[in-house]
Amino acid sequence: MKKRLEEICQEAEARMEKAESLQELSEIRREYLGKKGVLTQEMKQLRTMDAEQKAAFGAVVNEAKSRLEEGLGKVQTAMKEAELEKQLEAEAFDVTEPATKIRAGHRHPITQIMEEIQNIFIGMGYQVVEGPEVEYDYYNFEALNIPDDHPLKEEQDTLYINPNILLRTQTTSVEIRTMERQRPPICAIATGRVFRSYEMDDMKSPVFHQIEGLVIDKNITFSDLKGTMAAFARHMFSDTTRVKFRPHKFPYNEPSAKMDVSCFRCGGKGCSLCNGEGWIEILGCGMVHPKVLSMSGIDPDIYSGFGFGLEVEKISMLKMEIEDMRLLYENDESFLSQF
């Protein structure tokens, strides 16, 4: 019997030496030490032996088991070390080799200018307010004194979700919401994306960013508006920037105006940036229409105010001297990296 077990052990050890993978070792373990393995089958002979024979035979079988377990463990350890060595060799790298440079991004030109404008007005005491991009027709048009038959509503045509809900065409809608929930004094700027039925070209985009400003309090006059806009222009462009106002018509302002600034490149002498005129239009503004105040629950006999609105993309193009608005949306790294 001992001779038979010796032959089994030698046979198993020979297979261990030829094994090329951990899977093969696992198969050898199952064949010799598993529940239906060779040694397990040999143990069944114990049922036919007397007590003395059982003790002797059991000791021999246990010795054979220990021998195979030890042999399998050694081969398995050697295989794992060989695999690890092979893996380390394959993954080896030169620690003295210069590292790959990590390319860090930066804020988009539109974001840079929007933050700069916000910081200027925050420094003047304005709060930043936001509102929904999907807006009710009432807040986008009607509450701004733009009824259904007004020509401006057709000019600012946009995408309607249903007859009463649309993608906002101006952040002025946020100002209406602000006037409804906050009593004067109000000093706020509304920022965000707006949507209009423009065809994309070098100066227009169907999606762009606006910043609208609103001040409501007692005894607010057009002089306050002019002083605020002049201070903004000097902070935004240069200390020598001059402003001028031209009459215009906005249904939500009375009186209304367009504001120009002296060209910050040529100082008003005339150049390619200002098309030789010396002045550049940057925003629209005016005193808040009494009807708009009334519709928002503010008494126009007690309070007055002014508002203004500008396109962030337009200011970005002017200040960074970008000739085509489409460049701001094409995500061309060679272009954006300049700013």
Side-chain angles (χ1 to χ4, degrees):
M1 187 59 62
K2 187 172 183 180
K3 182 179 179 182
R4 169 63 181 154
L5 292 176
E6 177 66 25
E7 290 175 353
I8 292 173
C9 289
Q10 290 178 357
E11 179 185 304
E13 288 168 348
R15 291 185 60 182
M16 290 180 210
E17 291 180 5
K18 295 178 181 179
E20 296 181 352
S21 67
L22 293 173
Q23 185 176 352
E24 285 186 51
L25 280 183
S26 179
E27 184 66 21
I28 293 170
R29 182 186 296 277
R30 186 184 65 80
E31 288 184 16
Y32 288 90
L33 300 174
K35 289 183 179 180
K36 297 182 180 180
V38 176
L39 290 182
T40 304
Q41 296 301 319
E42 292 292 332
M43 289 289 287
K44 290 181 180 179
Q45 299 182 42
L46 288 171
R47 289 176 294 187
T48 63
M49 297 179 181
D50 57 30
E52 186 177 342
Q53 289 176 325
K54 284 183 180 180
F57 182 70
V60 175
V61 173
N62 287 333
E63 183 181 344
K65 280 187 176 181
S66 299
R67 178 177 169 180
L68 292 184
E69 288 282 5
E70 185 178 352
L72 286 167
K74 288 181 179 179
V75 176
Q76 185 178 31
T77 301
M79 280 188 175
K80 287 184 176 180
E81 290 178 351
E83 284 189 5
L84 179 59
E85 188 68 27
K86 187 177 180 180
Q87 182 182 354
L88 292 174
E89 185 177 343
E91 296 177 356
F93 61 92
D94 185 359
V95 295
T96 64
E97 183 179 347
T100 302
K101 185 176 181 180
I102 298 175
R103 296 163 60 192
H106 64 279
R107 296 193 308 283
H108 191 278
I110 293 175
T111 304
Q112 294 180 39
I113 295 301
M114 180 175 286
E115 290 179 352
E116 184 175 354
I117 295 172
Q118 287 178 341
N119 289 336
I120 291 172
F121 284 105
I122 289 172
M124 294 182 186
Y126 286 67
Q127 63 172 320
V128 179
V129 294
E130 295 181 345
E133 293 181 355
V134 180
E135 185 59 277
Y136 287 104
D137 181 273
Y138 172 80
Y139 288 106
N140 197 79
F141 290 120
E142 189 176 341
L144 290 168
N145 198 28
I146 307 175
D148 285 339
D149 58 352
H150 198 286
L152 185 61
K153 191 167 185 178
E154 182 177 351
E155 179 185 330
Q156 292 191 5
D157 193 20
T158 183
L159 178 65
Y160 280 78
I161 310 302
N162 61 45
N164 297 315
I165 300 176
L166 47 75
L167 296 183
R168 68 183 181 190
T169 64
Q170 52 201 357
T171 54
T172 319
S173 60
V174 184
E175 297 179 355
I176 299 298
R177 289 177 173 274
T178 302
M179 285 191 286
E180 284 185 348
R181 68 172 180 264
Q182 181 179 331
R183 296 298 88 192
I186 299 171
C187 188
I189 54 171
T191 68
R193 289 188 304 178
V194 297
F195 310 83
R196 295 186 186 177
S197 58
Y198 294 157
E199 290 188 12
M200 189 74 184
D201 60 26
D202 60 338
M203 293 302 293
K204 287 184 179 179
S205 168
V207 181
F208 58 97
H209 298 77
Q210 261 194 348
I211 292 183
E212 300 268 355
L214 176 69
V215 173
I216 304 289
D217 204 350
K218 296 177 181 179
N219 303 317
I220 298 295
T221 67
F222 202 90
S223 295
D224 298 310
L225 169 61
K226 291 176 67 176
T228 301
M229 294 298 95
F232 163 70
R234 287 193 295 270
H235 279 87
M236 193 70 204
F237 301 110
S238 73
D239 292 339
T240 59
T241 299
R242 292 169 289 126
V243 300
K244 72 174 182 180
F245 295 83
R246 294 178 287 109
H248 193 71
K249 178 60 180 176
F250 295 114
Y252 36 82
N253 293 140
E254 182 61 41
S256 310
K258 287 287 187 75
M259 190 185 88
D260 302 337
V261 296
S262 56
C263 181
F264 42 86
R265 181 201 282 174
C266 66
K269 297 178 182 178
C271 65
S272 59
L273 182 63
C274 60
N275 296 320
E277 297 180 0
W279 295 91
I280 303 172
E281 178 188 315
I282 65 165
L283 57 81
C285 58
M287 300 301 292
V288 180
H289 198 291
K291 188 175 181 180
V292 173
L293 291 173
S294 296
M295 292 183 71
S296 300
I298 297 175
D299 189 346
D301 293 328
I302 300 176
Y303 296 101
S304 58
F306 65 78
F308 56 88
L310 54 86
E311 295 180 16
V312 179
E313 279 82 347
K314 185 172 184 179
I315 302 298
S316 301
M317 292 175 68
L318 289 171
K319 193 161 184 180
M320 298 178 174
E321 299 192 24
I322 300 170
E323 296 181 353
D324 193 325
M325 185 180 292
R326 288 169 290 200
L327 293 171
L328 292 169
Y329 304 111
E330 291 176 351
N331 293 325
D332 185 341
E333 187 177 355
S334 62
F335 167 76
L336 295 176
S337 61
Q338 301 176 62
F339 309 101

